[in-house]
Amino acid sequence: MKKIIILIFILTIFVIAILTNPNEKQHKELSQQKLEEIVNVEMSKYGLRKDMITCLAYETGQIFGKEILNQNIDSNNYILFSTTNLKWENIAVHLK
């Protein structure tokens, strides 16, 4: 009986992992969110506020950043988990 409970528990974990595995669109969205967080941290590190000029530069950077990420982000789906990869000038980097 104990083995059956353990087997059911393990199968439940596998099913949850399969159902919650993100697709490529979700990988790209998360990468864009992370990029935005990094930009916000760097801006605050240098004391930059969102005034007219920095807001224009920020939005322009977001447009280019999103386009670059959309073209260069790739994900590998391994059923139970997936990985996000950034390919840039023949260099592939695994993102965490």
Side-chain angles (χ1 to χ4, degrees):
M1 187 69 176
K2 188 175 181 180
K3 289 182 182 182
I4 292 173
I5 293 173
I6 292 172
L7 181 63
I8 291 172
F9 179 73
I10 291 172
L11 288 176
T12 303
I13 290 175
F14 280 139
V15 169
I16 290 171
I18 291 169
L19 293 176
T20 59
N21 191 6
N23 59 27
E24 188 166 351
K25 181 181 177 186
Q26 292 169 324
H27 279 277
K28 288 181 180 185
E29 289 172 356
L30 183 62
S31 298
Q32 290 171 355
Q33 290 173 359
K34 291 291 185 182
L35 176 63
E36 190 170 326
E37 289 174 16
I38 291 169
V39 169
N40 287 334
V41 167
E42 290 299 316
M43 284 180 65
S44 65
K45 195 185 293 185
Y46 292 102
L48 297 174
R49 290 172 275 141
K50 286 190 177 180
D51 57 14
M52 189 174 205
I53 294 175
T54 57
C55 189
L56 178 64
Y58 177 82
E59 293 301 324
T60 305
Q62 287 295 316
I63 292 170
F64 287 118
K66 287 179 183 179
E67 187 62 33
I68 289 170
L69 285 177
N70 280 331
Q71 292 176 0
N72 296 301
I73 291 287
D74 183 33
S75 65
N76 297 322
N77 187 352
Y78 297 110
I79 310 284
L80 294 176
F81 67 95
S82 56
T83 60
T84 305
N85 302 306
L86 174 64
K87 296 178 183 172
W88 184 263
E89 295 180 357
N90 298 325
I91 298 172
V93 178
H94 173 73
L95 302 178
K96 295 180 181 180

